[in-house]
Amino acid sequence: MAKIDEIKEHIGALRGYLNIVIAIILALGAGISKLYLSLQINILFWIGIALTILLLIVFAIIARVMHNNIKKLKDL
C-alpha cells in the first residue's frame, strides 16, 4: 500500500511542476507578443523564444514521466 501512496504523491508533485511550467510559458508568451507588437525585436525577444522552446521541451518530459507513473499505478 505504501508504494501506491508514494506514486500518487510523485504524480501530485509532477502536476504542481507542470502548473509552474505552464504559468511561466504563458508569462513568456505575453512578454514575447508585447515585444513583437511594439516592434522591439531585440535580444530579449530571442531569449524569450529560446526559453519558451526549452520550457515546452521540459513540459513534454514532465508530462511523459507523469503518464509513465500513472501507467505504473494501474499495474499495482
Side-chain angles (χ1 to χ4, degrees):
M1 192 69 163
K3 186 70 172 172
I4 292 174
D5 292 334
E6 181 182 338
I7 294 174
K8 283 182 184 178
E9 196 67 33
H10 192 251
I11 291 170
L14 289 173
R15 187 178 301 150
Y17 299 147
L18 279 178
N19 289 336
I20 292 169
V21 169
I22 289 171
I24 294 171
I25 290 171
L26 289 173
L28 276 172
I32 291 169
S33 64
K34 183 178 179 193
L35 286 173
Y36 181 75
L37 290 174
S38 64
L39 299 175
Q40 294 179 354
I41 299 177
N42 52 19
I43 191 70
L44 285 177
F45 177 82
W46 295 111
I47 290 173
I49 295 287
L51 281 174
T52 302
I53 291 169
L54 178 69
L55 286 172
L56 287 172
I57 293 168
V58 168
F59 176 85
I61 291 169
I62 293 173
R64 184 173 200 78
V65 170
M66 191 168 77
H67 286 290
N68 287 340
N69 282 338
I70 291 171
K71 285 181 185 177
K72 243 191 272 184
L73 193 61
K74 285 181 185 178
D75 293 338
L76 293 177

